[in-house]
Amino acid sequence: MTNPELLTPPSGMRILVVSASGDLGRALLGQLAQFDLVVGAHGRSRLDALRVFESGHSATVKVFPSDLSDRAACHALVDDYVEWAGGIDAL
C-alpha cells in the first residue's frame, strides 16, 4: 500500500520542468499543478498548451519559452527561473 504523504511534495517547493510542452512534460505539469508549488514550465513549442496551467490551479505556474539548443540558453533558462522563483529545489 502506498503512503500518500510520500506522494505529496512539500508546500512551496520550486520545480522547473524542462520540455514541459511534450506529452510527458505536460502530464507531469498537470500532476504538479495540483499542489501548492512554484513551477516553471519550459517549452519551445505548443506554449498555449502550457499557458492553461498559469491560472486556476493550486500551483503558481509560469511558462518559460526557450530553445535550449546551446549552453548559454540553458544557463539563461535556469537563471530566469531562479530569479522569478527565488531559488530552485528540483529540475
Side-chain angles (χ1 to χ4, degrees):
M1 185 165 186
T2 304
N3 181 346
E5 290 181 21
L6 295 177
L7 301 176
T8 304
S11 181
M13 190 172 187
R14 300 162 298 188
I15 302 171
L16 176 57
V17 180
V18 178
S19 298
S21 57
D23 293 337
L24 184 59
R26 279 196 326 273
L28 176 59
L29 191 57
Q31 293 297 310
L32 294 174
Q34 299 176 48
F35 300 101
D36 180 27
L37 304 172
V38 180
V39 180
H42 159 263
R44 186 175 72 172
S45 60
R46 297 188 276 179
L47 299 177
D48 289 340
L50 298 179
R51 294 197 197 289
V52 300
F53 294 102
E54 289 185 316
S55 62
H57 295 86
S58 296
T60 301
V61 178
K62 181 177 178 181
V63 174
F64 289 85
S66 180
D67 178 357
L68 299 182
S69 60
D70 66 70
R71 179 172 274 171
C74 294
H75 287 280
L77 170 65
V78 173
D79 290 346
D80 291 347
Y81 176 78
V82 168
E83 181 178 328
W84 173 73
I88 188 169
D89 299 308
L91 175 63

